[in-house]
Amino acid sequence: MRVLICDDEPLARDRLRRMLEKVPATLCVGEAEHGQELLEMVPQAHPDLILLDIRMPGMDGLQAASRLSDGDSPPAIIFCTAYDEHAIEAFKVNAVDYLMKPVRQEDLEAALHKASRINKAQMNAVRRELGEDAPAESGEREYISARSRRGIELIPVADVRYFLADQKYVTVRHSQGETLLDETLKDLETEFGDRFLRIHRNALVALNYIEGMEHRGNQYQLRIQGIEERLTVSRRHASAVKKLLQSL
């Protein structure tokens, strides 16, 4: 992967370059100090990806990214910034990821891996997440956005095992672990009710990952593919869950 770094701080550029040197099959093809210099370098450097700061003198990172996104085959962009208030604008210009400074090695490598898999369909999913018009087979989001220590994380809905409500937050369990969402279980059920099953007042489970239901003591518990723990099925929902599992 050919990577171009754009940051007005020399120390920040140097740190990112040294981090990139630790990532196999990744090559730093240049460094820019501001957005205008970045635009001038892209045609010659042919980067696959740009590590881009936001607040820079002259043309900032968001302006440069917007200009690049108008091209036929724009490079992927990972924003590396000390400010979290620009996340929504960042994804509007097709950012693959949004990392908070100081960037950690493991977070950078995870973002680079995500960039290597990103495609046009995923970018359309990001636009739908932001409420913008984009080609889609249905009105449902394909990705859920969540704020984590790394910045803004995109979680594929197809990768979600379950949503579990706890007071004001909802935990989403997926193949990479758990993430907190600032969404309500009711809204998630309304949007994804055809793909998730309500098994308790505080739990929605992905139909594709349900393996079966067990009766243990006075409780029914659900087995979920790839998840060691069991989720409790409330008495109120047990009958409906049984019928649905028998029909699958």
Side-chain angles (χ1 to χ4, degrees):
M1 182 183 297
R2 298 169 60 84
V3 181
L4 200 157
I5 299 171
C6 182
D7 196 304
D8 63 317
E9 298 180 4
L11 290 178
R13 297 198 304 272
D14 182 63
R15 184 170 186 271
L16 287 174
R17 185 179 64 254
R18 286 186 281 108
M19 293 171 71
L20 286 174
E21 290 174 353
K22 300 178 182 178
V23 183
T26 302
L27 174 67
C28 180
V29 295
E31 300 178 18
E33 296 185 9
H34 49 73
Q36 186 58 49
E37 185 178 17
L38 171 67
L39 296 182
E40 295 171 358
M41 292 181 65
V42 165
Q44 288 76 37
H46 300 291
D48 300 306
L49 181 141
I50 298 172
L51 298 179
L52 183 57
D53 190 16
I54 289 184
R55 294 192 182 180
M56 296 180 291
M59 182 183 293
D60 66 23
L62 289 171
Q63 293 171 323
S66 179
R67 293 275 295 273
L68 289 170
S69 67
D70 292 334
D72 293 332
S73 299
I77 292 174
I78 296 174
F79 282 104
C80 303
T81 177
Y83 307 94
D84 64 359
E85 66 266 29
H86 302 292
I88 298 300
E89 293 92 337
F91 286 120
K92 284 184 178 180
V93 292
N94 291 355
V96 173
D97 216 329
Y98 190 96
L99 304 181
M100 299 298 297
K101 292 181 178 178
V103 177
R104 294 154 51 99
Q105 182 73 34
E106 57 265 38
D107 293 341
L108 177 61
E109 292 183 13
L112 292 170
H113 179 66
K114 182 190 297 185
S116 69
R117 297 182 290 110
I118 208 75
N119 55 40
K120 186 176 181 179
Q122 290 170 320
M123 286 297 97
N124 286 337
V126 174
R127 293 191 181 98
R128 287 197 295 278
E129 169 65 23
L130 297 168
E132 296 183 318
D133 293 332
E137 296 180 359
S138 71
E140 297 176 2
R141 290 173 289 173
E142 293 181 15
Y143 283 73
I144 294 173
S145 65
R147 191 179 297 275
S148 69
R149 62 177 177 79
R150 296 177 54 243
I152 302 299
E153 181 179 352
L154 294 181
I155 304 167
V157 175
D159 193 34
V160 173
R161 270 54 173 179
Y162 61 76
F163 298 105
L164 191 64
D166 181 14
Q167 297 182 1
K168 63 180 293 187
Y169 292 103
V170 171
T171 297
V172 53
R173 179 65 185 268
H174 48 92
S175 63
Q176 302 303 311
E178 297 181 347
T179 307
L180 287 180
L181 300 179
D182 191 14
E183 301 194 42
T184 67
L185 207 62
K186 181 178 179 181
D187 288 344
L188 292 167
E189 183 179 26
T190 298
E191 183 174 2
F192 302 114
D194 59 333
R195 300 163 69 176
F196 289 81
L197 175 66
R198 171 82 72 162
I199 66 166
H200 197 281
R201 63 180 176 81
N202 68 347
L204 292 173
V205 179
L207 292 170
N208 288 342
Y209 292 104
I210 295 177
E211 292 187 335
M213 187 165 66
E214 302 171 350
H215 191 213
R216 293 188 174 185
N218 296 323
Q219 291 184 332
Y220 285 101
Q221 295 185 330
L222 210 60
R223 298 195 313 273
I224 304 170
Q225 180 182 332
I227 304 295
E228 184 176 347
E229 65 267 25
R230 303 288 192 261
L231 292 184
T232 299
V233 181
S234 69
R235 292 183 179 180
R236 176 184 175 186
H237 294 90
S239 178
V241 174
K242 282 182 186 178
K243 291 180 180 178
L244 187 141
L245 291 178
Q246 290 171 356
S247 67
L248 294 179

